Amino acid sequence: MTGTKEAEATPEFAELAADDADAVLDQLDTVLSQLAADDEDTKHDAAQALEILSETDHVDDLAPATTPLADSLEKYDSSSVNALHTLSNIAADTDIDLAPILEDVVPALDYVKSGACIYAARTIRYTASSSPIAVVEDLDIITEHLEADSAKVRWHLTAAIRNLARTHPDAVKDSALYEVIKRLDDSHKFAQGFAASAIGHLAKQHPRAVTHTIPELTEQLNHDYPKARYRAAFALSYIAQDCATDVVRDSDIWEITYHLGDDHKKVRRYTARTLGRIAKTHPEEIEIALPKLSDLLTDDYEWARTSTAATLKHYGEHYPENLFPYADTLLDHLDDPHSNTQKWIIKAIQQLADTNPEEFLYDDSKFVALLDANDSKTREAALRTLASIGDPHPEALRPHADVLHESLSDSDNRVRRFASKALGKLAKEYPEETKPAVPDLIDLLSDDKRTARSSAASTLAIIGSKYPEELLPAVDDLRETLTDDYDAARRYASKALGKAAKADVDQVRPAVPDLVRLFGNDRDTSRSSAASTLAIIGARDPDEIRQYRSRFVDRLDDEHAWTRRYASKALGKIAKAYPDDVKSDSRALKRLFKLLDDDLDQAQMSAAATLRHVAKKYPEAVYPSVGRLEQLLGHSNPRVQHYAAKALDVLQSNYPEGFVDSETAAAGANLVSVVVEKYQRFKSVERVMEARTQAELLTDFVEAHPVDDSGYNRLLTDIKRFLDSLGGAGSQDQKLSAPDCQERDYIADQLLELYARRSPR
């Protein structure tokens, strides 16, 4: 009877776990409590049960077990091996954080009995991926065990350091680099492979620290173990990224090239990448690899093809003529299903076109066939290539104008998008050849694909630059596009409406409220193009935009430079017809003055032009900007100089008394000399001018009107210092003698005279 009760008190959970895991999970608290039992059999049974559960789908349910398992490691008995195995399974197969208990696991590296050290190393390996910072703290101890007798311990810990190198390369470089490099010669192939991988990750940040491993890595490319080969190729590719010269010097390019035909797909990929990085600085070294690289474009592994296409592009930057024998191969693979591969092939083809666009595109029947291929991806790739080539060589698109037009009606929206984009490139130099496509481009404004809509609006705007009347039938559709949910579509529609307004402002007039709405939205990137179109409308009918003057003034401080420029330009159209509107707005003048110092040349030009319109009627209002305008006469941009000079001409013609001649400047220089000479004598004064405000006005005015004489400018700085030193309302003159007071008053009079001669009357 007693034996029965004891059996019920200590059930055999290990046996139960093998048959009914759910039943054990239901009693998990009991199992965990038994890990701390004094009885070894009870403790071992609980540890075995958890070990069995950790090898099933129930491993995710063992988060509550991690701390009790770690606590049970104190004696390193037979149960400890089960506990460590369980923890290693949790680390490998779940996202449970083992960082809090890692300090209990690391000492087990010294416990070689029954493989406990192997499970400890495995736990550390996978924890290094999920909680690397916890492993960094024990990196010195882990590094010491890279020399362990157990091969499994060595390769698990090398893998752990590889994982650390991904996120904490500095720590690995400082504490473990030497031991990791030694693992390249390890007797275990896994350790060799992970060592190469760790070196590759280190090379991303510290390539110079691992260049001396290049010979060993090159030799490892011939390893029997495929993963060791691919990890060596991986490491070489990252060393070559910044240290291509070292790879060329310390390895055999023939040997590297050979592995473009390796059985392992990742070896082929990283070998091609290594050659690509060498090609950037030593292209002549990889010429021997061109035939194999060309063949690799047919590889089954998409990333091998991508690396190969990129390598051909990098080589073509230096020797594009040597790629012509492979032009047909590049064209054959222009329809590659992998977008990155396609991108690099297009770039390589563009280099061929840059070298000889007429030979490559005008008469190439294969390329023309691609434009008319049955497969939409092939047509898209061909059109994408034309759009890419069209920037430097729009003339290369002329033979394909009809196909581009027809492609606007293609069943594939990406084909329609790139057809429109290519037409835009053609329209920049040959707009007359794109006019027949305008109706189809208008239809494309309602396309389901937002990039197709924006591309169509962009191309219409380009055509409208030369033929604005062609856009008049599109005004309603363009106006509707102003409410598109895609900012690029709104932006280009705004531009296109600006072109149409040049042909007939009346037709575009209904769009003004929509343009003002875009212009007033802080988060809308279309506001600069909306402001530009409003300025165009205002040039033809200032009354149409006059009511929005305050909106334009608000945008003179916009964070976007081109918005500031076009807001100023629109304000200029109002100022030309209604200068009173701008003159009466103190915010407008202050912000226009500030805009003369803008970083954008065009903003400075627009501000100067707007101030010129105001100055024609109210020169005294614009006069405070004279100093800034004079500075712009020395601007590096001739157009900025031009607009500043025109504004100054208007000011001098309408307000000659405001400008200082050389005689006045000389008199001012002498006067300031007196001030400087007497400056130290006036330590305590009440005032030397009628009011402090006058002194501030004088100094502000002096700063705004620099003269060429650098000595005079220095003296003006001294006068500002003098005025700033004047006493306030509570000062006393008790320390000044009568002659000093007289001299002080004399200087005050002279300062007032200078102020009167330099300031507007």
Side-chain angles (χ1 to χ4, degrees), residues 270-387:
Y270 287 115
T271 298
R273 181 192 275 185
T274 300
L275 292 172
R277 288 168 174 176
I278 292 172
K280 291 182 179 181
T281 53
H282 299 78
E284 66 285 350
E285 295 289 340
I286 75 148
E287 188 171 344
I288 58 172
L290 291 180
K292 285 195 171 185
L293 287 166
S294 175
D295 293 341
L296 204 58
L297 287 174
T298 63
D299 200 271
D300 292 336
Y301 184 40
E302 58 191 23
W303 287 109
R305 299 196 305 272
T306 297
S307 294
T308 299
T311 299
L312 291 171
K313 182 266 180 186
H314 295 319
Y315 176 82
E317 289 177 353
H318 302 276
Y319 300 112
E321 65 279 3
N322 291 347
L323 288 185
F324 268 97
Y326 308 101
D328 285 348
T329 303
L330 288 167
L331 288 170
D332 285 342
H333 295 90
L334 190 57
D335 59 344
D336 193 284
H338 194 252
S339 60
N340 283 309
T341 305
Q342 190 182 102
K343 176 188 73 175
W344 288 112
I345 290 176
I346 289 171
K347 288 178 181 287
I349 290 174
Q350 185 173 354
Q351 287 166 345
L352 295 177
D354 285 345
T355 305
N356 195 335
E358 185 168 350
E359 176 183 337
F360 187 69
L361 291 175
Y362 280 46
D363 302 317
D364 197 297
S365 58
K366 181 174 286 189
F367 193 85
V368 173
L370 288 173
L371 291 170
D372 198 32
N374 291 328
D375 181 59
S376 63
K377 287 188 176 180
T378 304
R379 299 196 301 275
E380 176 197 347
L383 287 165
R384 187 194 289 261
T385 304
L386 282 178

Side-chain angles (χ1 to χ4, degrees), residues 72-95:
S72 72
L73 299 178
E74 293 179 0
K75 296 181 180 180
Y76 294 120
D77 49 19
S78 59
S79 300
S80 297
V81 178
N82 303 115
L84 284 166
H85 189 193
T86 302
L87 287 171
S88 73
N89 287 337
I90 292 172
D93 300 328
T94 75
D95 295 327

Side-chain angles (χ1 to χ4, degrees), residues 390-391 393-395 424-432 462 466:
D391 264 332
H393 301 291
E395 71 280 359
K425 309 295 185 183
L426 179 62
K428 287 183 178 180
E429 294 295 330
Y430 306 99
E432 68 282 356
I462 295 169
K466 183 67 180 293

Side-chain angles (χ1 to χ4, degrees), residues 509 538 540-547 577-578:
R509 198 186 306 275
R540 287 150 181 80
D541 185 1
D543 288 325
E544 190 64 45
I545 66 170
R546 185 183 182 188
Q547 61 180 308
Y578 303 103

Side-chain angles (χ1 to χ4, degrees), residues 516-524 527-528 531 549-568 587 591 595:
V516 171
R517 177 183 52 78
L518 288 181
F519 175 63
N521 190 336
D522 287 335
R523 293 175 294 179
D524 202 310
R527 59 185 186 275
S528 63
R549 185 199 75 238
S550 63
R551 302 278 188 95
F552 297 124
V553 174
D554 290 340
R555 288 298 172 197
L556 293 177
D557 278 345
D558 195 275
E559 64 181 1
H560 189 257
W562 286 96
T563 301
R564 298 194 298 271
R565 183 265 170 107
Y566 288 121
S568 174
R587 283 191 317 139
R591 292 182 180 184
L595 213 57

